[in-house]
Structures are given as C-alpha cells and as structure tokens.
Amino acid sequence: MQRRDFLRVVGAGATVVAVAPSMIGQTLYADNGQLYKAYEKVQLVDGDGNPIKASSLESEKTYVFNYPQVAVPCFLINLGEKAENEVKLKSEDGTEYIWSGAVGKDNSIVAYTAICPHQLTHTNKADSFMSYVPRKAKTMAYTEGGVIICASHLSAFDPKRGANQLSGPAPQPLASIVLEHDKNDHLWAVAVLGQDKFHDYFKSFKSEFKEQFGGKRKAKKLVKISVPTVAITEYTKEVIAY
Amino acid sequence: MKKIMTIILMTCALSTGAFAEKQLERISDMKHMADGMGLIMNGLLYNYLDNINAGVKYIQEGVENINKKGELKTYLPADTAYAHKFGEKSLRRIMEYSNELNDAMAAKDYDGALESASLLMRQCNSCHARVRGW
C-alpha cells in the first residue's frame, strides 16, 4: 500500500468513527464497506413526540418505526434476554459481516427492517405478514418461538443473532438498524447494516406507496430528526401470523 | 333411522357436489388467468397491444370471479386453507400490477410495462408456491 493510500484509509476510518460513534461501542463490520450505510441520526419517539426510554420498552412486544426512509418499516423489539455478540452473517451475494447490534442495559434491544429478503413482504398500514413470535408462542414457520417470521412463505429469522435466517426460503438475514443508546436512556437509529433490498422494494410497490404516501418519491423521503415508534397493533390494521 | 340415514347421505352428496363444483370453478378461473398471462407475454414479445389489453382483462376477470365467491378459505385446498389471507393479498397485488401494466402501456412506457408484467408473474407464482407447496 502506498503512503497516500494508507493516509486515505486512516483518514476515512477516523471520519467514520467521528460521524458514527456507534462504531466504537459496537463492532460492525462488512468486508466491502457497502453493507454498512450511515443515515441521519434519528431519535425514536412515542406517538406524542416524547423520546422513547429504552427501559420502558415492554419485553417481547413489537414496536414499529420507519427508517431510513418514510416508507421503510422497521421492528424495534426488547427481546427480554441478552442478544448474542459478534455474530457472523452472510448476505445473499456471499458478503460476510459481523452483527453486534443489540443495545440497552441488558443488551436485549434490537431493530431490523420489517421487509422479508425473499419476496419483499413487509409491514404496512393495512396489514403485516411480518411479526415477532414471542418465546412461549407457536408458529408454523419454525420449531419454536422467539423468532421473527414472514407469514407469506414461512421464513423465520433469529432476532438474537442479527436476524439470521433459520428456516424458509429467505436467502439472507433481515437488514438490521444500528441503534445508539444514550446516557438519558434514549434510543437513536443511525445506520443500516446488511443487504437492505430497498431498491427492489421501492420498485415493487408503486400502488401501495401512492395510496399510503402520495407517491414513490414521497415514500423515499429520508426520515429526519425523530420518528414515531408505536406498537405494531397501532401501526397496522391486522397482524397475520401462522 | 332410515330417514336419518337418507338425510345424512343426501347432505354428504350435496356438499361433495358443491365442493366439486367449487373445484371446477377454481380451475376455470385459474385457467382464465393463465390464458391472460399468456396473452400478455405474447403481446409484450411481439409488441401486440391488443393481446396485452385482452390479457389484463382476462386476469382481472379471474380475480373478480374469485372475489365474488367470497371467503377464499373455502376455496383453497384444506391443507393450505390457513393461507387464505396471503391468497387475498395476492389477489389485491395482482389487480394492482395489472392496472400498473395498463397505465404503463397507455403512457407508452414499455420498460415500465415489462416491469409490471414480471411483478404480475412473480405475484402469481408467489401464491402458487405457497398454496401448492412448491
């Protein structure tokens, strides 16, 4: 490596750490750098605009927020038990990356995009075929609860291990939302880790975006400053889980 | 006793008949939609607008027929009847994509039309994969 290249790499690294402090507290790594995309740091707030406290999240209850774009649904779940650290995941194209994205006092709070990487089934205002199945509940998609499922083709993902795929046709993990937990117990979304499929998603549901957001362009608008985070039963009319 | 047996047998025969009729109707609707998909593919391949329009019409007629018959649950095979919500959603998406295909053709947006046709095909297969257990 030439000196100029070396300085460039060091400079870029320092910039990343300065812009995204989450890089210090959590190990997030993607070998081509393309599976980690930083977006505007956005605070998670409740329906009244008050910051959400991590300690107030109910165990195993699914909350929904939109990030990084207004039409991208994401799950926020307090798993009620510690998530694993340094989980090695592999995207559909074979790129490997490391997930350690759980935050909170007990390292149990995780966030993932609620878009299935198989055929882009997603949570929207009308219904949600994506859902978290609590540990004591049963699902057709997997042998046990404590998993995120897609009820369209019965894929299951492990939220404790970076939403790695456990069963079904999904070819890769759910993309995860990188969270920051500050000293005031507030939560912030700062980046997306993993192959996100947003491009295909925005191409595939034009009519839905028109109906719910007034068009594809408006649906792609980036979320800024804060984002309402509500229980899935408030966000969507019907949760469909088998 | 004889009367009761006769009533039971009659009820069984009628319900079996009704089920068989539903099965035939389903096959007929699916064939109508498959013919529509064939017309769309043919129309796109040969740039023949009439075939595309006819194909969209066939598909939408098929969807309307299924919707008219009400609860999809009674219409799906017993072992996959639980997937009726997904079937209903698939029908809504098929309507959306076929409308988008029509709109794209009207706007002479041929790339958009191809995209809508492939989404339409994917949605058909997405449901088949689920209810036919591919």
Side-chain angles (χ1 to χ4, degrees):
Chain A
M1 182 185 278
Q2 289 187 345
R3 195 171 68 166
R4 182 177 293 181
D5 291 335
F6 174 74
L7 289 172
R8 204 174 280 164
V9 170
V10 172
T15 309
V16 167
V17 171
V19 171
S22 60
M23 297 294 281
I24 304 167
Q26 300 166 37
T27 312
L28 301 166
Y29 170 75
D31 62 4
N32 65 0
Q34 288 173 2
L35 294 185
Y36 179 90
K37 287 179 207 150
Y39 291 91
E40 181 158 338
K41 185 172 169 173
V42 169
Q43 186 167 36
L44 307 190
V45 298
D46 64 18
D48 298 324
N50 303 311
I52 289 215
K53 294 230 176 216
S55 54
S56 70
L57 293 175
E58 283 180 45
S59 178
E60 295 204 275
K61 180 172 174 176
T62 308
Y63 298 85
V64 182
F65 64 98
N66 295 100
Y67 186 82
Q69 283 143 310
V70 296
V72 175
C74 302
F75 286 158
L76 174 75
I77 309 164
N78 176 5
L79 299 173
E81 61 180 8
K82 195 174 187 275
E84 287 185 27
N85 247 331
E86 304 276 319
V87 181
K88 190 188 252 189
L89 302 171
K90 196 184 266 187
S91 70
E92 194 174 3
D93 66 3
T95 309
E96 291 185 337
Y97 59 103
I98 303 286
W99 177 89
S100 295
V103 298
K105 193 166 66 71
D106 303 319
N107 229 35
S108 62
I109 297 169
V110 294
Y112 300 103
T113 55
I115 300 173
C116 180
H118 174 225
Q119 290 199 353
L120 311 173
T121 290
H122 56 281
T123 298
N124 63 27
K125 301 277 181 194
D127 54 42
S128 180
F129 280 74
M130 298 286 289
S131 62
Y132 171 74
V133 178
R135 283 191 296 280
K136 284 185 181 162
K138 284 186 177 166
T139 171
M140 289 175 73
Y142 196 56
T143 50
E144 55 196 57
V147 293
I148 293 172
I149 61 152
C150 170
S152 290
H153 299 97
L154 303 177
S155 291
F157 306 89
D158 186 352
K160 271 201 309 184
R161 304 191 75 251
N164 199 11
Q165 69 274 41
L166 292 166
S167 66
Q172 63 176 21
L174 299 176
S176 64
I177 302 300
V178 180
L179 296 172
E180 281 184 17
H181 180 217
D182 69 20
K183 62 180 186 326
N184 297 317
D185 200 28
H186 296 158
L187 292 167
W188 303 76
V190 297
V192 177
L193 178 74
Q195 204 172 70
D196 57 39
K197 300 251 178 183
F198 293 161
H199 178 74
D200 293 338
Y201 172 69
F202 281 108
K203 246 174 51 172
S204 301
F205 305 108
K206 278 182 279 187
S207 296
E208 180 184 311
F209 296 142
K210 195 173 175 186
E211 188 190 319
Q212 295 193 4
F213 300 94
K216 192 166 117 177
R217 199 170 55 82
K218 286 181 181 165
K220 288 174 94 169
K221 211 169 136 193
L222 288 167
V223 176
K224 289 178 186 294
I225 303 170
S226 67
V227 63
T229 306
V230 296
I232 189 168
T233 45
E234 273 180 60
Y235 186 89
T236 189
K237 279 187 194 152
E238 189 178 16
V239 179
I240 295 126
Y242 303 110
Chain B
M1 188 66 188
K2 210 173 174 184
K3 267 185 187 171
I4 294 170
M5 285 303 286
T6 313
I7 290 167
I8 291 171
L9 284 172
M10 287 284 281
T11 313
C12 286
L14 283 172
S15 61
T16 310
F19 181 73
E21 196 187 348
K22 271 189 177 176
Q23 290 280 74
L24 282 177
E25 280 175 3
R26 191 185 73 206
I27 291 166
S28 154
D29 289 336
M30 287 295 152
K31 192 180 172 309
H32 196 58
M33 291 167 82
D35 288 345
M37 205 65 227
L39 281 168
I40 290 171
M41 291 302 163
N42 182 281
L44 286 169
L45 203 57
Y46 297 109
N47 191 22
Y48 190 38
L49 189 61
D50 288 351
N51 272 14
I52 298 172
N53 290 338
V56 168
K57 191 166 168 279
Y58 277 30
I59 285 173
Q60 297 195 339
E61 282 169 355
V63 172
E64 279 161 11
N65 277 342
I66 296 171
N67 281 336
K68 251 187 246 168
K69 282 162 201 152
E71 186 76 354
L72 197 62
K73 203 174 183 174
T74 60
Y75 198 76
L76 287 173
D79 60 339
T80 47
Y82 64 85
H84 66 284
K85 294 273 182 190
F86 182 61
E88 285 160 9
K89 177 132 189 172
S90 294
L91 290 174
R92 285 198 297 275
R93 289 261 184 250
I94 286 169
M95 269 310 225
E96 281 173 16
Y97 293 140
S98 56
N99 283 331
E100 284 172 17
L101 175 54
N102 260 349
D103 293 347
M105 286 308 294
K108 297 194 186 304
D109 172 11
Y110 300 115
D111 287 333
L114 278 171
E115 201 177 293
S116 298
S118 69
L119 288 169
L120 188 54
M121 185 67 157
R122 189 179 73 171
Q123 194 59 56
C124 295
N125 284 322
S126 179
C127 194
H128 294 175
R130 179 68 190 273
V131 300
R132 293 176 184 169
W134 287 6

